[in-house]
Amino acid sequence: MKQRSWHRYTVLFASLLAFTGGAMAADHYDPVTDARLMKAASDPGWLMYRRDYGSSGYAPFDAINASNVTGLKQVWDHETGFQQGHESPPVVNGDYLYVTTPKDELLAFQASTGKLLWKYQHDLSHVGLKTVCCDVVNRGVALYGDNVYMATLDNRVIAFDAKTGKVRWNRQLMAPDLGYAMTLAPMALQGKIIVGESGGEYGARGFVEALDAKTGKQVWRRYTIPAPNEPGGDSWPKGAYKTGGGGAWLTGSYDEATNTLFWGVGNPGPWLAKLRPGNNLYTDSVIALDPASGKIKWHFQYTPHDTWDYDGTNETVLTDLDYQGKPYKALVSASRNGWFYAIDRTNGKLIYAKKFVTATSVSGVKDGQMVTDASLYPDVDKEVFTCPSFLGGKNWWPISVDPQTHMAYVPTLHSCMTIKGATVGYKAGLPFLGETFNVTADPAFKDTWGAVQAIDVNTGEQAWNFPSKLPWNGGMLSTAGGLLFSGSADGHLYAFDAKTGKVLWKSPQLTSGIVAPPSTWTVDGKQYVGVYAGWGGASPIWGGDMAKDPAVANIPLGGHLYVFAL
């Protein structure tokens, strides 16, 4: 009996060792401190979702550069087995690489070799996932101390031992299937893990929440839809704030100089604007928060009284710029509504707003605020044609800002839509839209659904443009090597000359289309570039005529992580 027990435990230990042995073989894990996160822009790894607190998507590496990028080769890969959209960038500390999959699987690899160190599959068997709007995606992790953190579709934040994958704490923010879900990469900041909830299509009242990084206990929660007794509460009709939407479903940015957290806020609920008179704060806005308390310092609203699902969640990138001879500490954002914004990040005042696609619903600027076209609001008996479509001139796919070229690189979608009002009533867990819609081609771009577009941040004007017959949904990565990396819908990772847009290198065709942002890191001085192939997200689900285009409809599915090096 003792001999059999000893044999059983030996086998179990050997199995555990075989699965986690890579973790023992990997380099020492350096804790990710506040000091390292503040200097993440210059770290040899890739420590957070968009590399640094400014969300730049820019790395100061030049080992791979414009003169040698043609020598880039695949060095390792991993097939996930999932068929949905893959939207996570590799996050890297030392020789540890972390990436998530659809349906909340977390994978840890040795960054230099691709050896699987450990994995965690979150149990979603009890969840219907009926209130996950736009594919069952996960956009990645946060690192802090010796932990790695993931948010989940059933509204949990989970802390893991970064070396072993052991769960250290698991906290649920809201019950699943009632309207809320989480798809974003958390942010680690000042001892807190900060996340935002999705749910604007289901009448969920959005919020941003900070948790204690050590324990998971709530530090603060800031609802994005104010109650009647709060500032902005009078921008809603009585009671509407309870189902007002305003999801906070993408990771924010942080400015150390002003100690300000910036977070984008999504669409109001229901979509049909006549049911909720007013500007409906803080939907379709960027809000500036005190990271210690969650108190709102200021806001800027991209689309007042939105009825076109334009959101305001797109990432804000912190950059310094000179506009008309005056220097600014700015944040820039390419909004779903088709306008490229530069905002003074010290006070929330508009520096400029310029159209980067055909934009008719939001028609202009008056007294520093955006103006909408009253004739383009749909109603139950009124269908309108307007641009861009609700998918936006740019959806969640992140831009990158290069401090060398002073350009923002924008994954661009050229589409319009027909949209009409419909009757709707609120019921928890069911869609709360009040509109029907169809995505159509932009008449000004009949043969091109997408583009990679470079915008001079000092002027807001286009610097160069690379058109694409397919939608361009791949996130952006720029580097000190004079390169811009981004993936196409037909499954190629491109390297462009960051100054001119010339294609310098294109990978062999990967197994699926790309929507994820690439990332880059170094291990022992060797530079790597990694990206997921794995077509999915909103475009193939809600893309209307675009999704029916045979070239789009036939994009193969399936997740595959690719890593390249010289």
Side-chain angles (χ1 to χ4, degrees), residues 184-202:
L184 83 174
M187 173 190 281
L189 177 66
Q190 299 174 357
K192 295 178 280 291
I193 302 301
I194 304 173
V195 294
E197 284 277 6
S198 309
E201 276 62 58
Y202 300 91

Side-chain angles (χ1 to χ4, degrees), residues 3 93 122 133 181 216 326 341 354 361 379 437 474 494 499 531:
Q3 187 175 7
N93 179 30
H122 189 56
C133 159
K326 185 177 179 180
Y341 292 89
K354 305 284 184 77
S361 303
D379 205 340
F437 48 82
Y494 281 72
K499 291 182 180 179
V531 70

Side-chain angles (χ1 to χ4, degrees), residues 59 63 84 95 112 118 146 168 222 235 262 272 280 340 354 368 400 410 417 436 470 472 477 491 512 516 533 540:
Q84 298 85 3
D95 205 10
S112 56
W118 56 264
D146 58 0
R168 287 184 162 164
R222 171 57 53 193
S235 65
F262 304 102
L272 187 60
N280 309 132
F340 186 86
K354 305 284 184 77
S400 175
V410 182
M417 65 178 172
T436 59
L470 292 171
W472 199 286
L477 162 67
S512 182

Side-chain angles (χ1 to χ4, degrees), residues 478-494:
S478 56
T479 74
L483 299 173
L484 171 70
F485 290 95
S486 186
S488 64
D490 60 351
H492 296 279
L493 179 64
Y494 281 72

Side-chain angles (χ1 to χ4, degrees), residues 33-282:
T33 62
D34 288 306
R36 287 188 66 196
L37 290 174
M38 290 298 179
K39 297 178 180 179
S42 59
D43 194 272
W46 186 279
L47 294 182
M48 63 181 83
Y49 172 62
R50 292 306 293 148
R51 180 159 181 85
D52 50 49
Y53 281 135
S55 297
S56 71
Y58 169 85
F61 309 144
D62 61 4
I64 301 170
N65 55 60
S67 65
N68 64 18
V69 68
T70 55
L72 214 54
K73 305 291 183 185
Q74 179 184 320
V75 292
W76 64 266
D77 69 299
H78 176 82
E79 191 169 357
T80 70
F82 290 93
Q83 299 294 302
Q84 298 85 3
H86 286 63
E87 301 186 356
S88 168
V91 171
V92 181
N93 179 30
D95 205 10
Y96 288 81
L97 181 152
Y98 304 94
V99 71
T100 58
T101 75
K103 296 187 177 179
D104 302 334
E105 183 175 81
L106 172 56
L107 304 169
F109 296 96
Q110 190 168 19
S112 56
T113 67
K115 184 173 185 177
L116 182 64
L117 306 179
W118 56 264
K119 69 177 179 179
Y120 169 86
Q121 176 61 64
H122 189 56
D123 182 10
L124 293 170
S125 61
H126 62 292
V127 182
L129 299 177
K130 62 182 181 180
T131 59
V132 180
C133 159
C134 307
D135 208 353
V136 287
V137 301
N138 188 298
R139 297 190 182 91
V141 302
L143 305 179
Y144 194 69
D146 58 0
N147 284 354
V148 55
Y149 301 85
M150 179 176 72
T152 70
L153 294 166
D154 61 346
N155 305 304
R156 294 181 180 273
V157 179
I158 308 174
F160 305 86
D161 183 300
K163 291 188 71 173
T164 67
K166 179 181 178 181
V167 174
R168 287 184 162 164
W169 55 258
N170 180 334
R171 182 175 180 274
Q172 188 162 40
L173 277 59
M174 301 293 287
D177 294 329
L178 297 178
Y180 291 99
M182 283 195 289
T183 58
L184 83 174
M187 173 190 281
L189 177 66
Q190 299 174 357
K192 295 178 280 291
I193 302 301
I194 304 173
V195 294
E197 284 277 6
S198 309
E201 276 62 58
Y202 300 91
R205 185 187 181 198
F207 61 84
V208 181
E209 183 160 333
L211 309 176
D212 185 287
K214 292 182 179 179
T215 66
K217 292 181 179 179
Q218 183 186 102
V219 179
W220 53 259
R221 175 181 290 184
R222 171 57 53 193
Y223 281 101
T224 60
I225 308 299
N229 62 339
E230 296 176 319
D234 59 357
S235 65
W236 291 87
K238 184 178 180 181
Y241 77 97
K242 297 178 181 178
T243 55
W249 53 272
L250 285 176
T251 312
S253 306
Y254 170 73
D255 181 25
E256 182 181 11
T258 59
N259 191 32
T260 303
L261 177 66
F262 304 102
W263 216 277
V265 182
N267 60 279
W271 283 18
L272 187 60
K274 70 173 295 182
L275 299 179
R276 39 171 177 78
N279 279 351
N280 309 132
L281 296 176
Y282 294 96

Side-chain angles (χ1 to χ4, degrees), residues 410-557:
V410 182
T412 303
L413 181 65
H414 293 301
S415 69
C416 300
M417 65 178 172
T418 56
I419 188 166
K420 184 179 181 181
T423 58
V424 67
Y426 175 76
K427 186 174 182 180
L430 295 179
F432 190 48
L433 301 183
E435 289 176 350
T436 59
F437 48 82
N438 184 56
V439 175
T440 67
D442 182 338
F445 297 90
K446 289 184 178 179
D447 297 320
T448 56
W449 286 110
V452 177
Q453 191 173 171
I455 295 175
D456 185 331
V457 297
N458 290 323
T459 66
E461 302 296 334
Q462 184 185 98
W464 57 259
N465 183 68
F466 179 82
S468 170
K469 291 185 177 182
L470 292 171
W472 199 286
N473 293 179
M476 299 286 155
L477 162 67
S478 56
T479 74
L483 299 173
L484 171 70
F485 290 95
S486 186
S488 64
D490 60 351
H492 296 279
L493 179 64
Y494 281 72
F496 300 91
D497 184 305
K499 291 182 180 179
T500 67
K502 180 182 178 181
V503 176
L504 300 178
W505 172 82
K506 186 171 76 169
S507 76
Q509 190 167 33
L510 309 181
T511 53
S512 182
I514 298 170
V515 295
S519 68
T520 185
W521 62 92
T522 65
V523 178
D524 296 330
K526 185 178 180 69
Q527 185 181 351
Y528 300 83
V529 177
V531 70
Y532 256 142
W535 182 246
S539 291
I541 299 174
W542 302 111
D545 290 353
M546 180 181 68
K548 297 172 186 174
D549 183 324
V552 178
N554 292 322
I555 295 172
L557 305 180

